Amino acid sequence: MQITSNMKLADMININYMLLPVISRFDIKLGCGEKTIREVCEENSVNTGFFLEILNSFHDRNYFPEKNLQGFPLHLITDYLKKSHEHYLSAKLPYIGQLIREYLSQMKEGDNKLPGMILEFFNNYTEEIKAHLKREDTIVFPYVMAVEKVFLSGCQPDEETGLILGNYSMDIFISEHDNIEDKLYDLKNLIIKYIPPGNDINLTNNIIIELFRLETDLNDHARMEEKVLVPKVRYMEKWIQNHCLQKPIR
Amino acid sequence: MTILIADHSQIVRLWLSATFRNLNGSYTIRETSDKIKCLNGTIKTQADILVTSSSFIWSGNNTYENSLTFVQKFPARILINDSSAGSELISLFNEVIEAGDGERDIIEKMERLLKTIDRKKDKEERSGNDELSSREKEVLRLVALGFTNKEIASRLFISSHTVITHRKNITAKLGIKTIAGLTLYAAINKLITNEDISGK
């Protein structure tokens, strides 16, 4: 079923509580009483149409209106992606790390170095994600905003945008955009199938559930970047290439 | 899949190459005539199927035992019996091409061998609980130790293409994609030892 603006926010949460983290990315807090989604959005200065498209995409993975999403202003997309990054870095990863350290401390060290190896695996992975997200925050997002600025102003790059435009492109982004979900997928399967189980079943289950959730979230995040952000910016890059520059963008 | 033709006679090598090009499917066909360099590893001879002759194996001095060792490194082998090979030698080969065999006979024997290889691969893929075959465990061990596909191919005397196929099957069976993940699996299942781990 589709989520609509006339629905009460509370009802929507009852339909699918997994949407709670998504709502938080728009800085919408609970305690919303009987308010509809439209009312909550207006109160929080959130674009209702964009909010609904994001919620419905998460709610039903087969629903992904690429063209609609590309039609929204770029800053809505990048703000949403940045908020997602914050969520992963300051909430999800530390929480999962905590659960894993707890899980490993209960493991018998034995004569193999397994707990240490698993911790190293997870720590390396955390560093990888941090680097990946940092690159997007510090290079990709400023670049796309600069592209939009030039596009909207009809070929009026100031010095700063000129520098940014010369050094990066969506082609480069796609070529370096690696799958950060792969190691999560591996860790999940290792815990389910191969790592000798600990005594705390609930802890193990919690970790697996959290890994599944994060993996799904990262998949959706990548989908937004590859199917919405990239085509939208590529369109602008091409326009700039044809109308503004003497030489093509790298 | 790669076929290596090892024989002194250029005519034989050329003719066999041409014959094998008529096989259904695409195969890489390589040739060599330098026995010394094959045995001492100067020439890299990675292949899935070895086609060699008894005269090539007998040639040279004091290299019979080494020749047998060389032959056994290949997972599949065809012998061209051009100088009355004894039963010990014949027993090492999957198929034997005799002096009177024509093109059709040779293709038939090669296709029979290829079918056996496919069946063996299928059987491994369908085995019980999707367990890794011993070959796959060998490949996994080397992946976990940090070797590249090329280095693994060289060590196991198979082609890079075969290494990649093994890796795809390993990932499909285990549900583990990354090298770091495979290394953990290898450690858990004692395919690599503590010394290996600390050495990395």
Side-chain angles (χ1 to χ4, degrees):
Chain A
M1 82 183 304
Q2 267 233 328
I3 300 164
T4 61
S5 58
N6 294 325
M7 258 184 197
K8 291 185 194 169
L9 186 69
D11 288 346
M12 186 212 82
I13 295 169
N14 274 308
I15 289 170
N16 186 355
Y17 62 87
M18 302 274 272
L19 295 172
L20 278 169
V22 181
I23 299 171
S24 312
R25 285 168 203 175
F26 292 87
D27 288 329
I28 289 175
K29 297 191 168 52
L30 296 178
C32 45
E34 308 301 325
K35 295 193 183 127
T36 62
I37 289 177
R38 184 195 311 282
E39 285 165 342
V40 171
C41 285
E42 274 163 19
E43 270 174 32
N44 288 275
S45 310
V46 168
N47 182 311
T48 312
F50 184 68
F51 185 67
L52 285 171
E53 296 289 43
I54 297 284
L55 284 179
N56 279 308
S57 305
F58 261 84
H59 179 54
D60 176 3
R61 302 209 77 248
N62 294 321
Y63 177 83
F64 193 67
E66 290 170 34
K67 294 295 179 201
N68 286 357
L69 284 163
Q70 285 167 25
F72 287 103
L74 194 59
H75 75 92
L76 286 183
I77 300 169
T78 53
D79 283 350
Y80 170 75
L81 292 172
K82 274 189 224 168
K83 278 285 182 180
S84 306
H85 289 181
E86 263 178 51
H87 180 230
Y88 304 139
L89 292 174
S90 61
K92 268 285 131 131
L93 285 171
Y95 177 55
I96 295 176
Q98 208 180 312
L99 291 177
I100 287 184
R101 275 183 285 277
E102 173 70 38
Y103 167 77
L104 294 178
S105 71
Q106 291 177 8
M107 224 186 237
K108 296 192 187 72
E109 178 78 35
D111 59 353
N112 70 0
K113 301 182 179 173
L114 198 52
M117 287 182 74
I118 297 174
L119 187 60
E120 198 186 324
F121 180 92
F122 184 74
N123 287 341
N124 284 342
Y125 178 62
T126 305
E127 290 310 306
E128 260 182 55
I129 296 199
K130 278 188 190 162
H132 177 109
L133 299 180
K134 187 176 175 197
R135 188 163 174 81
E136 287 178 2
D137 285 338
T138 56
I139 294 182
V140 183
F141 297 155
Y143 168 77
V144 304
M145 295 309 293
V147 169
E148 191 190 44
K149 193 173 167 190
V150 174
F151 175 76
L152 291 177
S153 63
C155 303
Q156 303 280 335
D158 60 21
E159 219 176 72
E160 199 190 290
T161 48
L163 278 172
I164 294 172
L165 286 172
N167 293 327
Y168 201 70
S169 71
M170 284 293 94
D171 283 344
I172 296 178
F173 173 62
I174 285 290
S175 72
E176 25 171 69
H177 202 221
D178 46 1
N179 285 348
I180 47 177
E181 318 90 63
D182 280 355
K183 281 205 175 129
L184 269 185
Y185 176 86
D186 283 358
L187 184 58
K188 193 183 69 190
N189 279 329
L190 281 163
I191 297 178
I192 294 171
K193 298 208 265 186
Y194 303 116
I195 295 178
N199 294 324
D200 192 341
I201 298 174
N202 292 324
L203 177 59
T204 311
N205 289 347
N206 272 346
I207 292 175
I208 296 170
I209 290 170
E210 288 299 328
L211 291 174
F212 265 111
R213 283 203 187 133
L214 182 57
E215 193 194 345
T216 306
D217 205 331
L218 287 174
N219 273 327
D220 287 337
H221 186 83
R223 191 172 61 159
M224 267 299 270
E225 287 173 344
E226 285 162 21
K227 302 219 163 144
V228 179
L229 184 70
V230 169
K232 187 177 171 73
V233 176
R234 268 210 175 118
Y235 174 81
M236 291 191 273
E237 278 176 342
K238 237 189 193 155
W239 188 93
I240 293 174
Q241 193 174 323
N242 292 332
H243 292 86
C244 305
L245 301 182
Q246 307 297 23
K247 57 180 165 88
I249 302 177
R250 233 186 316 131
Chain B
M1 205 173 277
T2 305
I3 302 171
L4 175 67
I5 305 173
D7 195 81
H8 290 305
S9 162
Q10 189 179 33
I11 296 174
V12 168
R13 293 196 313 271
L14 282 173
W15 192 74
L16 284 173
S17 285
T19 305
F20 293 144
R21 276 181 228 288
N22 290 327
L23 290 165
N24 287 325
S26 66
Y27 303 96
T28 308
I29 298 170
R30 301 179 43 215
E31 299 174 27
T32 184
S33 62
D34 194 320
K35 191 180 184 196
I36 307 294
K37 286 190 178 163
C38 278
L39 294 184
N40 68 20
T42 313
I43 293 180
K44 295 284 176 225
T45 49
Q46 305 136 28
D48 302 290
I49 304 176
L50 171 70
V51 181
T52 192
S53 62
S54 30
S55 58
F56 186 79
I57 294 173
W58 297 133
S59 65
N61 299 323
N62 302 321
T63 49
Y64 182 60
E65 303 309 311
N66 293 343
S67 307
L68 295 192
T69 313
F70 169 71
V71 162
Q72 284 168 305
K73 285 183 170 148
F74 295 85
R77 315 154 201 147
I78 296 183
L79 179 69
I80 306 164
N81 190 5
D82 59 356
S83 54
S84 316
S87 51
E88 187 205 359
L89 185 60
I90 289 178
S91 68
L92 292 178
F93 288 82
N94 301 95
E95 295 281 348
V96 181
I97 295 172
E98 302 289 352
D101 284 347
E103 189 177 340
R104 246 218 212 126
D105 299 306
I106 292 173
I107 294 209
E108 199 183 288
K109 288 176 181 175
M110 178 57 99
E111 283 182 345
R112 204 160 52 205
L113 177 58
L114 289 167
K115 228 188 215 163
T116 314
I117 295 173
D118 274 340
R119 245 184 272 132
K120 197 169 162 211
K121 246 196 250 161
D122 278 348
K123 191 173 171 209
E124 285 175 349
E125 278 165 36
R126 279 199 308 265
S127 63
N129 343 318
D130 286 324
E131 270 184 44
L132 298 183
S133 67
S134 48
R135 194 55 141 177
E136 285 165 348
K137 284 184 185 162
E138 279 179 318
V139 170
L140 173 54
R141 199 187 112 83
L142 294 174
V143 168
L145 290 174
F147 292 102
T148 62
N149 286 346
K150 219 173 152 197
E151 287 164 340
I152 296 173
S154 163
R155 282 176 168 243
L156 298 181
F157 287 85
I158 55 180
S159 64
S160 291
H161 172 84
T162 307
V163 173
I164 291 171
T165 305
H166 280 311
R167 285 184 70 165
K168 282 194 187 146
N169 291 339
I170 292 167
T171 291
K173 284 185 186 180
L174 302 182
I176 297 175
K177 298 176 185 174
T178 66
I179 293 177
L182 290 172
T183 306
L184 262 180
Y185 174 88
I188 293 166
N189 288 282
K190 309 243 193 282
L191 290 172
I192 55 178
T193 64
N194 282 334
E195 287 81 46
D196 294 327
I197 298 165
S198 10
K200 274 190 82 166

